[in-house]
Amino acid sequence: MRVNRILLSVPLVVVALVIQVSVLARLHLPGAVPDLLLLTVLGLAMVYGHVGGALIGFGAGLLADLAPPADHAAGRYALVLCVIGYLAGLVKPETGQIKSATGPMVVVVAAAVGSTLLYAGVGALVGDTAARHVGLTGLLFSAALYDLLLAPFVVPGVMFLARRAENDPLAETNSAAKGSDISSGWLSSGTGLKIGGQRGGLKLKAAKSRATRAGRIKGVKRL
């Protein structure tokens, strides 16, 4: 990944995780918890593509697995967000940007349902049957509803910041300035000295030719 992507993704993921753990998880809403971390990963993945989305999703999920009060096996949510980030990144067009709001909203609903099913499926493989006691149908409906209501306030802003970081006008300015410095240094240290040396040599040759002509003229006069 590019450095500007990492510098933007890490703070966004950390802030989203802190808000989700300290605020959203304590609202005690019926059913699922609004997944701000998932929405952040979706916004970044739809700008950076499937590879960036998978890497960001894995890192964000691993932080969520390790952050207290995590009560599941480490790596479980990392796998879920890695898959979701990869699939969400496939929505990005090969050329251009996503301009319609319908596509991201559909991706949010599909990701909310898919992440809940995948999380419950991985939990069933490792022996965690908590989703059965809560009710999988209620979790799916509440997760899709909460994430869809929260998405308009999160996903567009994340995508806007990601696009600004992707353009990176500061890096283009620095590269242009660096190129001008290199070109000016090349002209001053290379071409300028050579031209100066050639000018000095031409002046020396002209002086020698003048002295030779003057000697010849004096010799003729003496004769």
Side-chain angles (χ1 to χ4, degrees):
M1 290 181 63
R2 299 176 183 176
V3 177
N4 55 343
R5 293 183 177 184
I6 297 175
L7 293 178
L8 176 66
S9 301
V10 171
L12 288 179
V13 167
V14 171
V15 171
L17 180 60
V18 171
I19 295 176
Q20 181 170 334
V21 172
S22 60
V23 178
L24 297 180
R26 298 183 179 182
L27 295 178
H28 300 292
L29 297 174
V33 176
D35 201 338
L36 182 61
L37 189 62
L38 173 65
L39 297 178
T40 303
V41 171
L42 292 178
L44 295 173
M46 286 186 285
V47 176
Y48 293 155
H50 59 281
V51 176
L55 293 175
I56 295 172
F58 179 81
L62 188 60
L63 287 178
D65 288 332
L66 300 177
D71 55 353
H72 55 269
R76 181 176 170 183
Y77 201 50
L79 175 62
V80 172
L81 286 187
C82 180
V83 175
I84 296 298
Y86 179 84
L87 295 178
L90 295 176
V91 179
K92 177 189 175 183
E94 295 182 359
T95 56
Q97 301 174 351
I98 301 175
K99 297 181 180 180
S100 175
T102 305
M105 294 300 103
V106 173
V107 172
V108 168
V109 175
V113 175
S115 61
T116 304
L117 289 175
L118 187 57
Y119 186 82
V122 175
L125 293 176
V126 297
D128 185 2
T129 59
R132 296 179 182 178
H133 301 287
V134 176
L136 185 59
T137 304
L139 285 177
L140 292 175
F141 177 77
S142 58
L145 178 62
Y146 296 153
D147 291 347
L148 187 60
L149 293 177
L150 188 60
F153 304 99
V154 179
V155 177
V158 172
M159 294 180 68
F160 173 76
L161 293 176
R163 287 170 180 169
R164 290 293 300 270
E166 191 72 2
N167 293 332
D168 200 8
L170 183 60
E172 295 178 359
T173 305
N174 292 336
S175 63
K178 185 178 179 181
S180 62
D181 293 340
I182 293 175
S183 60
S184 61
W186 177 79
L187 289 174
S188 61
S189 63
T191 309
L193 290 178
K194 289 181 180 180
I195 293 175
Q198 291 177 357
R199 288 179 179 175
L202 291 175
K203 289 181 179 180
L204 183 59
K205 289 180 179 180
K208 288 182 179 181
S209 61
R210 289 176 184 176
T212 304
R213 291 179 182 178
R216 290 177 180 177
I217 294 173
K218 288 181 180 179
V220 172
K221 287 182 178 181
R222 288 178 183 178
L223 293 174

